[in-house]
Amino acid sequence: MNTLDDLLHARTGPMTSELVQRPGDFGLGQLPARLAPAGTAKSICGYCSTGCSLQIHLNAAGEAINLTPDPDHPVNLGMACPKGWESLAPLAAPDRCTTPLLRDATGVLQPVTWPEALAVFTDRLKAIQAQHGPGSVAVLSTGQIMTEEMALLGALTKFGMGIADLDSNTRQCMATSHVAYKQSYGFDAPPFTYADFEESDVLVFVGANPCIAHPIMWQRVMRNRRQPTLIVVDPRRTETAMAATLHLPAYPKSDLTLLYGLAREVIRRGAVDAAFVAAHTTGFAAFATFVEAFTPARVSAETGLSTADLDRAAAAICRPGARVSYWWTMGVNQSHQATRTAQALINLSLMAGQIGKPGTGANSITGQCNAMGSRLFGNATSLVGGYDFANAAHRTHVAGILGIDAALIPAQPSRAYDRILDAVETGEIRALWIIATNTAHSWINSGKFARLRDQLDFLVVQDMYATTETAQQADLVLPAAGWGEKQGVFINSERRLGYARKVARAPGLALSDFSIFKLVAEAWGCGPLFTRWSSPAAALQILKDLSRGQPCDFTGIRDHDHIEEQGGIQWPYPDSTFCRAGSPNPAAPEAGFGDPAVPPPDRERRLFADGQFPTPDGRARFLFDEPAPLPEPVDAAYPFLLNTGRGSSAQWHTGSRTDKSAVLRQLAPTVPWIEIHPTDATALGLSTGQTVAIRSRRGETTALAVVTPIVQPRQVFMPMHFPEVNRLTFPAYDPHSRQPAYKACAVSLASVNDSSA
Ligand SMILES: Nc1nc2c(c(=O)[nH]1)N[C@H]1C(S)=C(S)[C@@H](COP(=O)(O)OP(=O)(O)OC[C@H]3O[C@@H](n4cnc5c(=O)[nH]c(N)nc54)[C@H](O)[C@@H]3O)O[C@H]1N2
Ligand SMILES: Nc1nc2c(c(=O)[nH]1)N[C@H]1C(S)=C(S)[C@@H](COP(=O)(O)OP(=O)(O)OC[C@H]3O[C@@H](n4cnc5c(=O)[nH]c(N)nc54)[C@H](O)[C@@H]3O)O[C@H]1N2
Ligand code: SF4
Ligand SMILES: [Mo]
């Protein structure tokens, strides 16, 4: 099982026929004749956390030739954004990494065989561990591989290879939501379902630009027939803000003050749900006293918003009988007080009893396709399955399920990403294995990572492409299959497990991450620990066992096919409640599945309808702190505040996938740009299309000026899709989540005389 020969044969052998539905299942008449697919397969999109389902059109060999959005899926209802439509293009890119690559003595990456690559991998990493201790090797992973893969990686590295430090790009993205929910609700449990977009009377978006970053979620907002009030808190007048009833362009990172001021208004206007607060929460009295200081005058002075706008916002969220929902993304999570800001939104929803009912909730929108999977099963911050490393009973329980010695499980979580890099700087960590993330581009203050490269004795990068900024610096590159070339589960923003299918062959010698991890386990000598992890399908059964009894319990899911048949399945989905009700035999996990006597569960469900939270006392907590000043405020030398984020719906992060699509390349600029307010542009003598030099205390770069009132005066915005951006950013972190505060640093601007260009 799972030898290299097996894996390579499986990869090159015929596409499995179960992928292909009968041609008659597909509405052929609706398609242009040239597609004439032999059948279709469904697969969940591998970009953002919306989790749209795509119908992949297959040729007679079962290989993908095109796709259309799935009309039957409860998430996207037949829609997809440009990235989803273009999902197949990156697979065929000419720069796919098709063979392991090893840097030779002259510094050139040269093709090697898998056995050679695995031997170098284990020999080098074991030698480094032998010389400097097991903690001298660390891993940086991702929210963009399958749940089964990230769980196997977490188990392999921590329990098999003795690696204590395994973090991922989820730190850059969702760490704040994870910590905020865990502290407030007792578990990382986003309570909502996408139907809440349609069932809300007042939707408050804070630091979220779904028009660009989650376009299909935004389509769900547009389907709301309740004439909703849309409030958007964002220093920029984004596409989302333009569509709002009320745009609150609060000064960057003044959200905490604003939200405490709104909480004060909820109390003052008598909109507190006293019965809910008394029965289901703790800490409200102290919170109510705390927010008294956040008077409209103070909030107006510190946020730059008018008291009239504050009054409008307060009136909207306090409207009697209105269903109010709060939605946040990176404008909140990437802040120096991110966790408390997220909790300020949670507090607003708790105090008004706006949770567990249609159209309510304090709802974190996830970023990557499987950031939710990594939050539950990544084995970084929480022990795999949402347990605690520090809890001995949890370690024993997880060890029992995995059939390993509990002593193999470390008693503390991984160090956070920034602290892993700090440990590289001090020489404590000497080797990194980076999987499905492009650290050299996406990490904050990237100049530091560039300098650290020389401190590393060994850098392994596992990616679809050897051309990323990070892979170019590697000593060893392991070629990975991408979305569409392997199968497994993604968990979307509304806790829905979705199944992504294999519909294409990986090029050359590229292998799925799952297969690579299995090969590493064998080469390392810890393969027997992972015998049960024989395939993604087998791994899903292990994940089910890990989830049992947890708030995320999905033991009622049968297998991958069950997930697909149901149009995805939201957790919780315990076997006791749904599929196995009436099944007398808990020892036979398959018993009772599909029992016609058991009604199917609702396709959309939300959490906390009963007011019970998974804290020890069953109550949610009010958590708060004093607002603190910006880590790097503007001054005379650096008078502009730089904000960064998503530039267009056609660009994904560091561009390693989306840049490969000729269609997507036409939908957005391919060079860095910077949004500048007209007043500032005039003062600097700049007009749109001219080159501007941007300097921070960390680095400098140039970009094309886009003169626009989208940004406020003295604020500028750059899309994160160009590596230049993180040369500028200031390395500040939220103290609870250690998430980088990418969205506020001080820069200076100057017009570049480009008459020579
Ligand atoms: N097209 C596309 N879609 C994506 C992605 C992509 O790369 N491309 N990435 C995915 C991922 S991983 C993520 S995490 C999400 C991110 O999704 P979003 O968070 O919606 O996107 P961002 O543009 O990073 O940030 C959202 C907004 O926060 C605002 N903001 C900045 N500072 C503040 C502040 O202090 N307060 C407030 N209230 N707002 C502030 C910014 O002006 C910006 O408009 O998108 C996902 N979807
Ligand atoms: N300035 C600034 N910086 C930011 C942000 C910001 O708002 N501003 N946002 C941050 C956020 S929220 C995020 S999520 C990060 C994202 O930052 P990254 O994770 O660095 O960005 P990606 O381009 O998505 O990188 C994913 C890599 O995985 C590879 N890959 C894709 N699929 C697979 C697979 O199945 N297997 C393997 N092995 N490789 C695969 C891709 O080729 C790509 O190189 O950026 C962060 N950086
Ligand atoms: S909205 Fe997200 S999940 Fe849907 S098609 Fe676009 S990138 Fe894919
Ligand atoms: Mo993200």
Side-chain angles (χ1 to χ4, degrees), residues 209 213 233-234 253 255 329-330 643 646 648 651 653 743:
N209 187 11
V233 184
D234 193 313
K253 306 309 157 204
D255 305 77
T329 319
M330 290 308 116
N643 174 3
R646 275 73 200 156
S648 79
Q651 290 166 301
H653 296 160
K743 287 186 166 26

Side-chain angles (χ1 to χ4, degrees), residues 626-649:
E626 283 293 341
L630 276 173
E632 193 187 44
V634 295
D635 58 18
Y638 296 96
F640 292 90
L641 202 63
L642 172 67
N643 174 3
T644 66
R646 275 73 200 156
S648 79
S649 66

Side-chain angles (χ1 to χ4, degrees), residues 48 83 173-174 206-210 212-214 233-236 238 251-255 329-332 334-335 366-368 643-646 648-653 717 720-721 743:
C48 89
K83 296 182 299 301
C173 184
M174 302 313 300
V206 183
N209 187 11
I212 293 297
H214 297 94
V233 184
D234 193 313
R236 293 164 66 220
T238 59
Y251 192 74
K253 306 309 157 204
S254 66
D255 305 77
T329 319
M330 290 308 116
V332 169
Q334 296 172 343
S335 308
T366 315
Q368 308 166 81
N643 174 3
T644 66
R646 275 73 200 156
S648 79
S649 66
Q651 290 166 301
W652 180 257
H653 296 160
F717 174 84
M720 62 158 301
H721 311 296
K743 287 186 166 26

Side-chain angles (χ1 to χ4, degrees), residues 119-142:
V120 171
F121 181 96
T122 44
D123 290 352
R124 291 298 311 273
L125 293 185
K126 283 191 176 200
I128 289 167
Q129 282 187 327
Q131 195 183 346
H132 302 284
S136 57
V137 175
V139 180
L140 296 173
S141 165
T142 187

Side-chain angles (χ1 to χ4, degrees), residues 57-82:
H57 308 179
L58 308 168
N59 66 14
E63 292 166 319
I65 48 173
N66 213 325
L67 61 80
T68 45
D70 179 355
D72 298 325
H73 198 66
V75 167
N76 53 313
L77 314 169
M79 301 177 278
C81 86

Side-chain angles (χ1 to χ4, degrees), residues 44-54 69 75-76 79-87 194 210 212-218 367 369 492 649 652:
I44 299 300
C45 175
Y47 283 109
C48 89
S49 67
T50 306
C52 298
S53 173
L54 305 170
V75 167
N76 53 313
M79 301 177 278
C81 86
K83 296 182 299 301
W85 278 99
E86 278 295 290
S87 287
Y194 293 157
I212 293 297
H214 297 94
I216 303 306
M217 290 194 204
W218 184 249
C369 52
N492 79 357
S649 66
W652 180 257

